[in-house]
Amino acid sequence: MSRLSRCFKSLESAGYLRSLDDSRVELLAHGQAYAELLKQQWLSLRPLAAHLGNSDSSVDVSSTHLQRFSFASSKRFHSNFEQLVREHPRKAKCPTLLKHLCTSSACLPNTFFSHKPPVTHLITDFIVEPYRALEHFYNMQRESKIWWMRYSSNPSRYRIVARELPAEVKAKDCQAIDIMSCYGEECSVAVEQLSLVKLHGDDFRLPDARTGQTLPPAVIRSVIELETATCALLVDGCDHARETQSLLLNRTLAPYQCGIACQEVDGDMADLCLHIKDVLLRAGLRLGQGNGYELTEDASQLREYIKLSDMMGVPYTLLLSEQTLQNGLLQLRSRDTRLAETIHISDLPNYLMNIFKH
């Protein structure tokens, strides 16, 4: 069994995704929760953008190599441009940003795997001055790559790959790159498409924020297929050299950020778990599935729970013991290092909150 086959098997057993026929995959419940958190991170990225809502479309996105350059002729782009001028007049100048979500039956082309339709496309249109188009295009490439690297367990797997232009497209007006997540020499997935298109004519004109001159802008379009990009990040978390089946999810995106476990000795331990669970939930932390804590009968069951937490990608586990009832000390175990540090119960939840902020 190849290492990537083992990744898919591990992710399916953990409830994140399953592999279908014809190189298609499907997100399961935990994978859908992860995708929702990834979408929230995208919505908070570049906060000055004008958010234009959701749409349904089968042709507005880059389902073919040529279509990724013809979006400016679509009804949706015309509608977005008019909405920008009408509802966000202070942002209707170069440079400016538009964001919208598009549910589509057309998937982006990927040779390794892709998610079965329908899929959600996260679309950002960066409308810029035409004479600074390439400068903005290169900056956006760098920013986007860094954004993906931040959520990866292996940042070196991300590459910027230039795409050849179709014969119908003028090279002086268009550029295209894909940000690829690579798994070995032959397997790679495009997690984001960036396309530069210079507009012409009078249909789209905006004032230059520097000079005030009205001119047809250039558009840098970013397209992220949410489900396929989510699967790529999940495989990234599995594709490591560890002997164990740990899922190394970024702690900001992990559906469950913390677990609570103890070896039960009496009813007081259950009450203590309930108290800590309430403290962490009030702080906004996402706890392990089920009750949010686990009472184990012996050390063997406790080890099995920790192993399962690692497979689920839970970054931290609080380990309570009889000592915790006596002096308030407990163990905070890290999934990444597999080491535990001693903290006091009074450090909760602030100690954990500071970890997740960085």
Side-chain angles (χ1 to χ4, degrees):
M1 183 184 296
S2 70
R3 73 183 193 190
L4 292 178
S5 297
R6 288 195 295 270
C7 286
F8 283 121
K9 185 176 181 181
S10 177
L11 288 168
E12 183 169 357
S13 64
Y16 278 94
L17 64 82
R18 64 180 168 206
S19 179
L20 305 174
D21 295 334
D22 302 324
S23 302
R24 291 292 176 92
V25 293
E26 178 183 36
L27 290 178
L28 301 176
H30 296 149
Q32 292 167 5
Y34 185 92
E36 181 62 28
L37 291 166
L38 180 61
K39 183 177 76 173
Q40 295 305 317
Q41 292 298 311
W42 174 80
L43 288 170
S44 64
L45 179 67
R46 303 183 178 104
L48 297 180
H51 292 266
L52 304 184
N54 302 351
S55 67
D56 295 317
S57 174
S58 60
V59 295
D60 190 44
V61 294
S62 312
S63 56
T64 70
H65 196 41
L66 180 59
Q67 281 182 357
R68 70 187 290 178
F69 303 103
S70 61
F71 62 83
S73 60
S74 68
K75 292 181 179 179
R76 182 65 199 180
F77 186 78
H78 279 255
S79 175
N80 285 350
F81 195 87
E82 292 171 357
Q83 188 178 352
L84 168 68
V85 175
R86 183 177 65 254
E87 299 180 6
H88 306 275
R90 298 182 65 179
K91 295 182 179 180
K93 55 188 175 182
C94 295
T96 193
L97 278 165
L98 308 180
K99 282 187 176 183
H100 78 279
L101 289 80
C102 178
T103 303
S104 176
S105 59
C107 298
L108 299 181
N110 261 312
T111 55
F112 180 32
F113 66 76
S114 60
H115 195 273
K116 75 170 190 176
V119 292
T120 302
H121 291 107
L122 312 178
I123 301 176
T124 304
D125 288 328
F126 192 16
I127 303 176
V128 302
E129 314 92 318
Y131 57 87
R132 297 185 62 202
L134 283 177
E135 174 191 347
H136 287 298
F137 188 53
Y138 296 141
N139 287 340
M140 198 164 180
Q141 290 178 38
R142 184 176 66 254
E143 291 171 6
S144 294
K145 183 184 177 185
I146 291 172
W147 191 73
W148 289 108
M149 292 169 65
R150 184 181 303 137
Y151 297 121
S152 173
S153 65
N154 180 7
S156 65
R157 75 169 75 247
Y158 289 91
R159 301 174 186 172
I160 296 174
V161 178
R163 293 304 180 195
E164 292 185 5
L165 303 179
E168 300 89 339
V169 171
K170 295 180 180 179
K172 67 176 183 178
D173 291 336
C174 300
Q175 296 284 334
I177 66 99
D178 291 345
I179 297 178
M180 307 295 294
S181 179
C182 302
Y183 311 90
E185 293 298 324
E186 299 180 355
C187 301
S188 60
V189 178
V191 293
E192 184 173 0
Q193 286 188 346
L194 288 176
S195 309
L196 167 65
V197 177
K198 292 183 179 179
L199 306 182
H200 299 283
D202 295 327
D203 289 344
F204 306 105
R205 298 183 71 89
L206 287 177
D208 186 327
R210 293 184 176 185
T211 66
Q213 179 185 0
T214 300
L215 70 174
V219 181
I220 302 168
R221 168 162 285 203
S222 159
V223 180
I224 298 171
E225 193 166 273
L226 177 61
E227 292 81 4
T228 300
T230 296
C231 293
L233 283 172
L234 291 173
V235 174
D236 168 272
C238 272
D239 185 32
H240 52 72
R242 286 192 176 192
E243 295 180 0
T244 60
Q245 291 183 321
S246 300
L247 180 56
L248 304 182
L249 300 182
N250 178 275
R251 57 194 178 200
T252 302
L253 295 178
Y256 307 112
Q257 295 175 306
C258 186
I260 305 169
C262 70
Q263 190 171 325
E264 187 175 16
V265 290
D266 54 41
D268 290 339
M269 292 300 296
D271 292 339
L272 181 60
C273 287
L274 281 170
H275 169 70
I276 294 178
K277 171 186 172 182
D278 182 65
V279 169
L280 299 185
L281 287 176
R282 287 176 179 272
L285 291 172
R286 301 184 294 274
L287 300 188
Q289 59 178 329
N291 293 328
Y293 62 90
E294 185 75 11
L295 300 174
T296 62
E297 295 180 358
D298 51 42
S300 176
Q301 283 192 4
L302 184 60
R303 287 193 296 270
E304 283 299 313
Y305 174 78
I306 292 173
K307 180 180 178 181
L308 178 61
S309 294
D310 286 351
M311 291 178 62
M312 290 288 298
V314 181
Y316 295 96
T317 303
L318 293 171
L319 302 176
L320 283 58
S321 65
E322 194 172 0
Q323 182 187 36
T324 311
L325 289 171
Q326 297 172 358
N327 57 20
L329 296 178
L330 51 90
Q331 299 290 307
L332 177 63
R333 180 189 180 274
S334 167
R335 173 205 64 199
D336 296 345
T337 65
R338 289 176 282 183
L339 299 176
E341 60 178 309
T342 301
I343 63 173
H344 194 269
I345 192 171
S346 62
D347 293 329
L348 301 174
N350 293 340
Y351 190 82
L352 279 171
M353 296 299 292
N354 286 333
I355 290 176
F356 285 107
K357 284 179 182 178
H358 298 93

